[in-house]
């Protein structure tokens, strides 16, 4: 073997990333982007007491379809705290732009959800010696959640590198990757289609029926519908017939 030849095992080494995967459109596109960038992807989903249980089945199919190295589903119960239409006995707003509370935050916001999810992802990333965590937050076509803003992500990344052994010892600097942050829903869909994402596997609805069909009327469904329309791409979503 020539001294200039790189050993095969080094060629096969790929960077690792933990990807938060809800089963929705944005997180699925994020997983496809991470995979396309050459990461070994470790998908992480949560059974957190959400009314949308069907999204976890979607996440399992998506992780296999896109080729995640591993898919973990974490059990936590945010119903203990309530205060969200996704985890409490509060009606999900439908057909109305007025879905915000007095503070301007939608009632579908789950308190501290992304902070909790990212903390679990951070723990797994440290064990895996992963260099990135991917999260599909978006600050343009989104519902107005405070933990989707760029300043939040920047602050969390700074904290993450202060809070881990790898960060303190300078072994690995972890990056929180947000490839969708400044994209419209239409742009996200176009990128996903280019990467071969099958959006019929995804579910974005806040209040699907027992068969996993989207309501078509909640804030998330309306953003999704408009995204496909603006992108000029047929919407493969199964909606409840009105």
């Amino acid at each position: 073997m020539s001294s200039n030849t790189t050993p095969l095992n080094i060629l096969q080494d790929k960077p690792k990333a933990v990807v938060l995967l809800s089963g929705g459109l944005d997180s699925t596109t994020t997983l496809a982007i991470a995979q396309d960038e050459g990461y070994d992807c470790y998908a992480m989903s949560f059974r957190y007491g959400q009314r949308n249980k069907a999204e976890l089945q979607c996440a399992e199919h998506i992780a296999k379809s896109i080729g995640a190295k591993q898919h973990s589903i974490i059990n936590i119960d945010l119903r203990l705290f309530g205060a969200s239409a996704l985890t409490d006995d509060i009606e999900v707003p439908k057909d109305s732009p007025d879905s915000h509370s007095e503070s301007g935050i939608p009632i579908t916001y789950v308190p501290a959800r992304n902070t909790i999810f990212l903390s679990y992802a951070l723990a797994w990333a440290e064990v895996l010696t992963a260099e990135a965590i991917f999260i599909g937050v978006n600050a343009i076509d989104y519902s107005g959640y405070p933990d989707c803003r760029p300043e939040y992500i920047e602050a969390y990344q700074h904290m993450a590198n202060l809070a881990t052994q790898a960060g303190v010892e300078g072994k690995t600097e972890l990056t929180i990757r947000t490839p969708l942050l400044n994209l419209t829903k239409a742009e996200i869909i176009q990128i996903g289609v280019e990467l071969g994402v099958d959006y019929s596997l995804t579910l974005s609805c806040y209040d699907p029926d027992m068969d996993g069909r989207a309501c078509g009327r909640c804030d998330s469904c309306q953003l999704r519908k408009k995204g496909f329309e603006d992108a000029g791409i047929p919407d493969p979503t199964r909606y409840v017939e009105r």
Side-chain angles (χ1 to χ4, degrees):
M1 178 182 294
S2 167
S3 60
N4 294 325
T5 303
T6 303
L8 184 60
N9 65 325
I10 295 178
L11 287 174
Q12 291 176 335
D13 284 345
K14 296 171 67 176
K16 297 174 184 176
V18 175
V19 183
L20 292 175
L21 179 65
S22 69
L25 185 152
D26 291 345
S27 68
T28 298
T29 308
T30 300
L31 175 58
I33 290 171
Q35 191 86 342
D36 184 64
E37 289 186 6
Y39 286 92
D40 270 340
C41 294
Y42 293 77
M44 176 174 276
S45 305
F46 293 85
R47 185 178 291 107
Y48 64 91
Q50 67 270 49
R51 67 171 70 210
N52 182 358
K53 304 294 194 302
E55 68 180 9
L56 289 174
Q57 294 178 326
C58 293
E60 290 187 83
H61 294 313
I62 290 160
K64 291 177 183 177
S65 172
I66 294 179
K69 194 82 172 176
Q70 186 176 334
H71 181 214
S72 294
I73 298 177
I74 309 300
N75 292 303
I76 53 179
D77 192 358
L78 299 186
R79 291 175 299 180
L80 293 171
F81 310 114
S84 168
L86 303 191
T87 58
D88 208 339
D89 295 327
I90 301 171
E91 187 175 352
V92 173
K94 305 280 182 68
D95 302 322
S96 172
D98 187 21
S99 62
H100 294 65
S101 66
E102 292 181 2
S103 67
I105 305 300
I107 195 62
T108 50
Y109 164 66
V110 180
R113 181 175 61 177
N114 279 347
T115 302
I116 293 166
F117 289 179
L118 281 169
S119 296
Y120 274 85
L122 177 60
W124 201 17
E126 185 166 22
V127 170
L128 293 169
T129 63
E131 63 181 48
I133 295 172
F134 280 76
I135 181 171
V137 294
N138 178 262
I140 296 181
D141 285 343
Y142 79 122
S143 297
Y145 299 154
D147 53 5
C148 289
R149 296 173 300 155
E151 52 265 45
Y152 164 77
I153 296 297
E154 182 180 351
Y156 193 95
Q157 178 175 293
H158 178 68
M159 182 280 299
N161 283 295
L162 293 174
T164 58
Q165 179 180 346
V168 169
E169 294 178 349
K171 294 178 180 178
T172 304
E173 183 171 349
L174 187 76
T175 303
I176 309 295
R177 295 288 307 280
T178 56
L180 312 185
L181 189 64
N182 297 308
L183 300 179
T184 66
K185 194 69 73 178
E187 289 170 334
I188 292 168
I189 291 168
Q190 288 167 340
I191 290 171
V193 168
E194 289 174 4
L195 294 176
V197 171
D198 180 359
Y199 284 118
S200 70
L201 297 177
T202 68
L203 179 64
S204 305
C205 182
Y206 291 148
D207 193 23
D209 70 2
M210 296 295 291
D211 294 323
R213 295 179 299 176
C215 73
R217 299 166 53 201
C218 67
D219 184 43
S220 185
C221 279
Q222 291 184 28
L223 286 170
R224 179 181 173 116
K225 280 182 175 182
K226 186 177 184 300
F228 278 105
E229 182 180 342
D230 290 349
I233 294 170
D235 184 353
T237 308
R238 293 189 309 127
Y239 292 106
V240 174
E241 293 183 13
R242 298 183 61 183

